[in-house]
Amino acid sequence: MYLIHYRLQRMPFQISPDPRFLWLGEKHKEALAVLKYGVLNNQGFLLLTGDVGTGKTTLINALVNSLGSDTVFINVADPRLDKIDFFKLVAQSLGLETKLVTKFDFLSSFKDFLYKAHESKKKVLLIIDEAQKLSLDSLEEIRLLSNIERQDTKLLNIFFIGQNELNDTLVQPECRALRQRITVVHHIKPLHEKETVEYVKYRLRVAGTQQDIFTDKALREIHSFSRGYPRLINVICDRALLTGYSENLQTIDHKIIHDCAKDLRLPGETEQSAPKKEGQRTRTSPRIATRVALFVGLVLCFAFFVYVIATRFLGKEEFNGTLSGAADQDLHGRPSGKPEAQGTDRSSPPVSLPSPSSSKADSQRIPDSTSQEGFRESRLIIPFASNTNELPPEALARLDQFAQVMLQRTEPEIIVKGYTDALGSGDYNRNLSTFRANVVKSYLTGKGISPNRIRVIGMGDAAPRMPNTTSTGRAANRRVEIEVVPHKP
């Protein structure tokens, strides 16, 4: 309707995903690289989570388009099916016989398909969208599909895409077998203000115009309304262009965005969500001012009390607790990509938790207490097996304790640093270290810690704890370090 008015060739802000309008900010580029790595290296289970409207489906379409014809895709858009119907849908997507009566009928033909695909050097990717709707029984059935594999490689990659509540499901005890198999994890966040501006301008350029249709103030108002969610950005921009067309305007200012935002909000959202305009604040009566002053005084007293407690528990002591000694370990599911340690450390003993009576390797021991006294210090070390980013099972209980304490301390920042040994290439080690750190972050986020408190850094093979010349040294260097950084006033 408004294309000719703004000299556009196509609609720039349609909600339906269109690959021509694909815009990848830094967050999306990172997510795409991580997910593509997981598929190309047969990592098994992959997980992508994010809030409604953050662009998960658009990102998956970009991933599918980037992988090429050597990957077979099975896309399940609505997983709320019973067992047989789910199997029929998968079989139909692969062109298999769909007259299935039992689970055995499906597994027999599906196994044959996976073997033939492997012989043809093709990868098979099962994409399950809206995975937060899956029941625990359905998740277990899907996990069992991954058991169809060969000794040297996985035959099926399974990709879960879901909203944030999927993390809450996966950390339940009933899902521990599945959770330990998820090797690639990424959480997509909304756009910040600068990214929102770039997103809007990019879509306008693709639609056929170089004109700055939206003023700077309008773009800030767009971000304020949408909070950086691409879907909401599209909705408000499309409505604003329509309004500008009806009023014969070539430029959209912040007033139009504000009016459109009011029209788009539901009645119950208006008072809670609408920002207050300057100059419209009511005068504060002396009685209200007194109450505010008393409230501020109480807040300051509470803040001082928290500061004293935080100083005691989060002082300058170092948390040098470790979840294992310098033991070496290779898991059964070694990826088929570039090996971190070239498979040279198979003879090393398995990882184990140090007992209270064990010696203090590197003067590091886990406190036995789960109370805040057990987390006075500020660094926790988690070991990883060679060439994998799977969390060791013995780490989960300790991470649960750590998360429980951090939920009570909402102020400190958590820095998660991933490390590798030095036997892989520089790029491979940096990517692997980042994946390891993201797996830990995902686990802590699933326990309720805000992702905004957690900063991930991939260190690669930098800062080794021990020389990489021995298997023991390499095992000590394959790790993730969690640092708790007190807030600086």
Side-chain angles (χ1 to χ4, degrees), residues 322-340:
T322 178
L323 287 167
S324 76
D328 206 7
Q329 179 191 34
D330 283 334
L331 298 185
H332 298 297
R334 176 185 298 276
S336 60
K338 299 178 181 178
E340 178 187 34

Side-chain angles (χ1 to χ4, degrees), residues 332-439:
H332 298 297
R334 176 185 298 276
S336 60
K338 299 178 181 178
E340 178 187 34
Q342 305 292 338
T344 58
D345 300 334
R346 291 184 179 273
S347 60
S348 305
V351 173
S352 60
L353 284 170
S355 64
S357 61
S358 64
S359 61
K360 298 181 179 180
D362 294 335
S363 300
Q364 296 176 348
R365 175 178 294 189
I366 308 175
D368 294 328
S369 173
T370 60
S371 67
Q372 292 191 8
E373 290 292 336
F375 285 95
R376 286 183 180 179
E377 301 166 348
S378 60
R379 190 159 61 101
L380 177 64
I381 300 175
I382 299 175
F384 277 79
S386 174
N387 196 32
T388 182
N389 59 354
E390 291 188 21
L391 275 172
E394 59 268 27
L396 303 183
R398 195 58 182 153
L399 284 173
D400 292 346
Q401 297 170 7
F402 177 81
Q404 184 178 8
V405 173
M406 288 300 104
L407 286 173
Q408 299 174 15
R409 302 179 187 172
T410 58
E411 192 169 318
E413 180 185 16
I414 302 170
I415 300 177
V416 182
K417 295 182 180 180
Y419 296 86
T420 68
D421 62 34
L423 293 187
S425 68
D427 289 341
Y428 181 80
N429 287 343
R430 280 189 296 274
N431 287 334
L432 181 57
S433 66
T434 302
F435 299 149
R436 286 173 174 169
N438 274 314
V439 167

Side-chain angles (χ1 to χ4, degrees), residues 14 40 62 117 125 188 246 275 347 383 451 464 487:
Q14 292 297 293
L40 294 179
L125 176 60
I188 189 170
S246 65
S347 60
H487 174 71

Side-chain angles (χ1 to χ4, degrees), residues 463-481:
R465 296 179 64 228
M466 295 180 65
N468 281 287
T469 54
T470 65
S471 62
T472 300
R474 290 190 290 273
N477 297 331
R478 295 192 292 265
R479 70 203 191 275
V480 163
E481 295 186 0

Side-chain angles (χ1 to χ4, degrees), residues 53-154:
T54 49
K56 298 185 295 297
T57 301
T58 301
L59 190 62
I60 296 309
N61 290 340
L63 173 66
V64 169
N65 292 333
S66 70
L67 290 175
S69 59
D70 61 341
T71 303
V72 180
F73 300 98
I74 312 161
N75 197 344
V76 179
D78 187 354
R80 293 177 300 179
L81 302 169
D82 61 37
K83 185 188 307 181
I84 294 298
D85 285 342
F86 179 84
F87 292 154
K88 286 181 178 179
L89 178 60
V90 173
Q92 185 181 41
S93 300
L94 297 175
L96 304 178
E97 175 62 47
T98 56
K99 295 180 180 179
L100 306 174
V101 179
T102 66
K103 178 179 176 181
F104 175 80
D105 297 335
F106 168 76
L107 291 179
S108 179
S109 59
F110 188 55
K111 182 177 180 180
D112 290 340
F113 175 85
L114 293 179
Y115 282 160
K116 291 178 181 178
H118 178 67
E119 292 170 359
S120 301
K121 297 184 178 180
K122 290 183 177 291
K123 301 180 185 299
V124 181
L125 176 60
L126 171 59
I127 301 175
I128 302 178
D129 205 352
E130 301 292 342
Q132 76 278 356
K133 298 178 181 178
L134 287 168
S135 65
L136 295 178
D137 289 340
S138 296
L139 286 169
E140 179 64 11
E141 287 290 343
I142 294 170
R143 181 189 71 82
L144 292 175
L145 291 179
S146 68
N147 290 338
I148 305 175
E149 58 183 19
R150 287 191 170 179
Q151 185 175 3
D152 57 340
T153 186
K154 290 186 177 296

